[in-house]
């Protein structure tokens, strides 16, 4: 085989599904984990961001333009501000108009369920025999992100990106050493990536800017090193994707503005931007110590597995992307869940491992622990048990978290002018005041 041809290791290796009992047990476990995820996701909204997203969406819909100044600041009303999530903001504003916060919350619950179901399906296809434990890893890695926020579209986008990587792997494995035409593979590679990236860039440009161009560049770089003669379609797809993202409304200006505001001082004010090793030294109150430790070491375990696989299999495109995702997971806790996506496009362990008699019990024990830890956190740490959780399932906003009486007053009085408020209340006051008040948001 020519050394420049695609290596077989870049294609999903055949795996043993195990005996029929093990397969059935895996399906039951995946169904149970899915039910747990959906059940725990039906909870009141406690995040502070969705309210100001709705307020910005109201403004965009009423003016037909994207904001260029800090609309809602009482201190710097003429300060520059660019929105890079305008599609999401218009969406939640429309949902709120149609059905209030209940519809906004229900939409996010449904979208999370859809993204999780697609993740499970891809895990079943790509990591047979170990899909349940990978889903368990996803649960504990994503648990702090299970909120009503625009990053649910990042979750959907990552599922789509992993599907695209798998599509590329299959396409490259079937191509001759020399391409027949400059546009070979455009339907398989360019079209789905451009559609995914363009939608993502107009809904959550921040997530798209990090999770599309850099992984695509790294994958293409690895392909160039490994198989230069079949890498042109990847370069072409990347260039078209970058072009469509760049011309998306508010994409470049929003990203540039956001990068200017992300300083060490501002990032330090937001816990989710802390490195993931913070779980090892400062776990959330009431959380299992073992769970916090596991969240802290997961990226490092993934890094070791990536290095082992890259050395043995020489699958550079996948290794470069996996290394970048692991870096993000280590550097910022908000990206911890990305490590669960790596085995979907890069096998990190021999396919025979899950079927070995001495490994199989450990896999199921780990899966059970991860599922229990996730459930314990949502039902016994944030609530006082399953009955308390169910009592709150029909509540849209977390009781006692926001100044509801003050919001009632703003809604009735239509008060205008400056409002002095804690930062965590700003979005809610904007929402209840419907633009009549000018609280400090940022």
């Amino acid at each position: 085989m020519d050394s420049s041809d695609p290596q077989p290791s870049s294609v999903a290796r055949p795996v043993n599904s195990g005996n029929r009992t093990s397969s059935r047990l895996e399906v039951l476990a995946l169904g149970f984990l899915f039910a747990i995820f959906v059940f725990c996701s039906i909870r009141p909204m406690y995040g502070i961001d969705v309210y100001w997203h709705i307020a910005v969406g109201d403004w965009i819909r009423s003016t037909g333009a994207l904001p260029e100044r800090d609309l809602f600041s009482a201190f710097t009303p003429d300060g520059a501000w660019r929105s890079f999530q305008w599609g999401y903001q218009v969406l939640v504003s429309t949902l709120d108009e149609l059905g209030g916060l209940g519809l906004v919350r229900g939409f996010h619950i449904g979208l999370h369920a859809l993204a999780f179901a697609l993740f499970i399906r891809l895990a079943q296809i790509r990591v047979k025999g170990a899909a349940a434990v990978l889903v368990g890893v996803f649960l504990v890695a994503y648990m702090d992100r299970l909120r009503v926020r625009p990053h649910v579209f990042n979750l959907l986008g990552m599922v789509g990106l992993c599907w695209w990587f798998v599509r590329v792997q299959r396409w490259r494995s079937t191509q001759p050493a020399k391409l027949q035409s400059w546009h070979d593979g455009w339907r398989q590679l360019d079209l789905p990536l451009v559609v995914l990236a363009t939608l993502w860039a107009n809904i959550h440009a921040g997530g798209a800017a990090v999770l599309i161009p850099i992984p695509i560049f790294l994958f293409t770089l690895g392909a160039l090193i490994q198989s230069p003669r079949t890498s042109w379609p990847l370069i072409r797809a990347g260039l078209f994707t970058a072009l469509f993202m760049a011309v998306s409304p508010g994409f470049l200006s929003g990203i540039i503005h956001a990068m200017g505001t992300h300083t060490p001082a501002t990032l330090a004010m937001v816990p989710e931007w802390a490195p993931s090793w913070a779980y090892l030294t400062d776990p959330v109150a009431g959380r299992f110590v073992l769970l916090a430790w596991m969240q802290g070491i997961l990226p490092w375990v993934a890094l070791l597995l990536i290095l082992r696989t890259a050395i043995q299999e020489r699958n550079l495109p996948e290794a470069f992307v996996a290394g970048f995702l692991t870096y993000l997971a280590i550097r910022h806790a908000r990206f911890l869940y990305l490590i669960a996506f790596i085995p979907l496009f890069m096998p990190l362990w021999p396919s025979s491992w899950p079927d070995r008699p001495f490994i199989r019990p450990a896999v199921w024990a780990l899966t059970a622990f991860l599922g229990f830890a996730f459930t314990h956190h949502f039902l016994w740490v944030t609530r006082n048990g399953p009955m308390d959780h169910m009592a709150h399932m029909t509540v849209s906003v977390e009781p006692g978290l926001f100044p509801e009486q003050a919001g009632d007053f703003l809604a009735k009085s239509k008060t205008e002018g400056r409002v002095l408020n804690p930062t965590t209340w700003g979005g809610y006051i904007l929402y209840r005041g419907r633009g009549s008040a000018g609280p400090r948001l940022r």
Side-chain angles (χ1 to χ4, degrees):
M1 179 182 293
D2 192 302
S3 60
S4 63
D5 288 336
Q7 299 298 316
S9 60
S10 65
V11 184
R13 294 170 295 182
V15 296
N16 297 321
S17 59
N19 55 48
R20 185 172 301 176
T21 301
S22 179
S23 298
R24 289 177 177 176
L25 184 60
E26 180 176 84
V27 171
L28 290 174
L30 291 172
F32 183 69
L33 292 175
F34 177 78
I36 288 175
F37 179 84
V38 174
F39 180 73
C40 292
S41 69
I42 306 176
R43 57 201 298 248
M45 297 187 297
Y46 69 93
I48 65 175
D49 290 346
V50 68
Y51 306 103
W52 70 262
H53 281 302
I54 294 175
V56 174
D58 289 345
W59 188 91
I60 294 174
R61 292 173 62 210
S62 64
T63 62
L66 298 183
E68 296 183 356
R69 60 184 180 86
D70 205 347
L71 302 172
F72 307 117
S73 174
F75 294 96
T76 57
D78 296 322
W81 184 74
R82 304 288 190 277
S83 172
F84 57 84
Q85 298 165 331
W86 72 270
Y88 173 81
Q89 290 155 350
V90 169
L91 174 62
V92 292
S93 171
T94 304
L95 291 173
D96 179 69
E97 182 181 31
L98 294 175
L101 292 178
L103 183 58
V104 173
R105 182 179 74 117
F107 174 81
H108 285 78
I109 292 171
L111 210 58
H112 268 111
L114 173 63
F116 190 49
L118 293 174
F119 178 89
I120 289 176
R121 182 55 186 155
L122 198 52
Q124 283 183 294
I125 296 172
R126 299 293 294 176
V127 287
K128 291 180 180 179
V133 72
L134 180 62
V135 170
V137 168
F138 172 86
L139 289 179
V140 300
Y142 190 76
M143 60 190 299
D144 288 333
R145 310 296 295 165
L146 191 54
R147 317 179 209 171
V148 177
R149 286 185 60 179
H151 64 244
V152 65
F153 287 97
N154 291 342
L155 179 60
L156 268 174
M158 280 303 303
V159 173
L161 185 62
C162 287
W163 169 80
W164 185 81
F165 282 138
V166 172
R167 192 179 180 91
V168 171
Q169 290 169 344
R170 292 173 178 171
W171 182 84
R172 294 181 71 226
S173 69
T174 60
Q175 294 308 299
K178 185 177 181 180
L179 298 176
Q180 303 299 316
S181 173
W182 72 271
H183 55 76
D184 280 359
W186 74 271
R187 290 184 179 179
Q188 296 89 343
L189 306 184
D190 304 47
L191 184 59
L193 183 62
V194 167
V195 171
L196 172 66
T198 303
L199 290 173
W200 199 347
N202 284 279
I203 295 175
H204 194 321
V210 174
L211 298 174
I212 287 283
I214 301 176
I216 298 303
F217 169 78
L218 293 174
F219 192 92
T220 304
L221 177 62
L224 276 170
I225 297 173
Q226 182 174 291
S227 179
R229 289 183 293 180
T230 57
S231 299
W232 159 245
L234 294 175
I235 299 174
R236 183 193 62 218
L239 291 175
F240 275 117
T241 299
L243 174 63
F244 276 85
M245 292 178 70
V247 299
S248 297
F251 179 80
L252 290 178
S253 60
I255 295 301
I256 292 172
H257 176 75
M259 291 176 62
T261 61
H262 282 192
T263 65
T266 57
L267 294 181
M269 299 172 61
V270 185
E272 65 186 26
W273 285 104
S276 59
W277 62 73
Y279 285 114
L280 299 174
T281 58
D282 188 25
V284 176
R287 181 172 295 178
F288 273 159
V289 173
L290 286 178
L291 173 59
W293 287 354
M294 181 168 290
Q295 290 172 314
I297 66 173
L298 273 175
W300 301 99
V301 173
L303 182 60
L304 293 176
L305 291 174
I306 292 167
L307 292 174
R308 184 201 69 84
T309 304
I311 293 172
Q312 293 185 357
E313 306 294 341
R314 294 186 299 167
N315 44 1
L316 291 183
E318 293 85 356
F320 285 172
V321 176
F324 173 68
L325 297 182
T326 305
Y327 163 77
L328 289 178
I330 292 173
R331 190 64 187 87
H332 301 295
R334 66 178 296 163
F335 294 120
L336 179 63
Y337 71 97
L338 294 179
I339 61 172
F341 286 90
I342 295 173
L344 299 182
F345 61 87
M346 180 182 183
L348 295 182
W349 50 80
S351 59
S352 61
W353 277 14
D355 292 325
R356 293 181 182 179
F358 60 93
I359 290 183
R360 189 179 303 165
V363 169
W364 287 116
L366 179 58
T367 302
F369 169 77
L370 295 171
F372 175 76
F374 177 86
T375 307
H376 175 270
H377 175 76
F378 282 99
L379 301 188
W380 282 278
V381 175
T382 63
R383 291 289 175 230
N384 294 317
M387 299 306 296
D388 185 40
H389 176 82
M390 288 189 288
H392 286 82
M393 290 176 72
T394 58
V395 180
S396 294
V397 181
E398 182 66 31
L401 195 61
F402 300 106
E404 297 183 31
Q405 293 182 345
D408 293 339
F409 172 78
L410 286 174
K412 293 178 181 179
S413 65
K414 302 298 182 183
T415 300
E416 297 184 3
R418 299 184 178 185
V419 175
L420 180 63
N421 59 272
T423 303
T424 54
W425 289 357
Y428 180 80
I429 293 175
L430 276 177
Y431 173 78
R432 296 302 306 274
R434 286 305 188 180
S436 60
R440 180 181 182 182
L441 256 183
R442 290 168 287 278

